[in-house]
Amino acid sequence: MKTTTLGAAGPEVGVIGLGCMGMTHAYDPDGRDDATSVAVLHRAVELGVTLIDTADVYGPYTNEELVGRGLEGLRDRVVLATKVGLELGPQGLTSSMSGMKLNGRPEHVRRSIDESLRRLRTDHVDLYQLHRVDTEVPIEETWGALAEAVQAGKARAIGLSEVTVEQIERARAVHPVASVQSELSLWTRDALADVVPYCEAHGIAFLPFSPLGRGFLTGTMASVDDLPAGDWRRTMPRFQAETIAANQAIVAAVRAIADRAGATPAQVALAWVRAQGAYVIPIPGTKTPKYLVDNAAAGDLTLSDADLAELDALPAPEGTRY
């Protein structure tokens, strides 16, 4: 696979990464298959998909445990990223994310890094990320605790997730920001207004999660009935019966370009995301070997200026993110 670096000063990684959340959390909860997920992790490394992303809240905890098992013997071949700062409340996961609790207290960060390292079976992570900013804790305090993990050798670098430019700047005043992770896809473009350009200008990696529109842009979902029972997406506004039907027009346009390019819709959607910046590294999630190979091949697809312009002009989707 082609490679880039995790920002201007970061380690080398494949231009496509792997998000691991869906292996144990949120999507198709009854379809968990740890053996297949471990095989996906092994195959990812073989393909050069070396940026591996997880979080303590996924499960909670079970995702880090699975990734830790899956990367035994392969740890030195990947750039391993995890996150802290979100906890599942008693409601669990809901479409509005009201089932999540923010926790950016420094003592929580200090305790959580050690617990994550134990579950991941490693003595350090390459990237430790603040999952969300706790509005009740000054970001400088939370970021300072993450910086302590770097100073202690428990993390090589630290990053942010779902933040504003102002929050990035406040964090940078305390310690360098290696990456920013936010949702970015053909149907979620908010970060392109200011966060992605800011990251590009300052050599910060931008890691788009859900670059395939939570699977919708692959063209495999004709209706909400195509989602497994208990799947988190069934509660989300863009996957309701009326909106999922209206949003098929976006998929149709992506499919038309894919047919011209001799690619799949997923590869076109990922190639568009990659084209948004030198350090934009999408981390599509999958627990299926076939889709992993398909996603990885997007690293070799370069869209024409005309194709990019056509994709840029696609309408906004029906329905909000959450």
Side-chain angles (χ1 to χ4, degrees), residues 239-263:
F239 290 90
Q240 301 313 299
E242 290 184 3
T243 52
I244 204 169
N247 289 328
Q248 293 298 329
I250 298 175
V251 173
V254 174
R255 185 181 288 112
I257 291 175
D259 290 344
R260 294 201 302 266

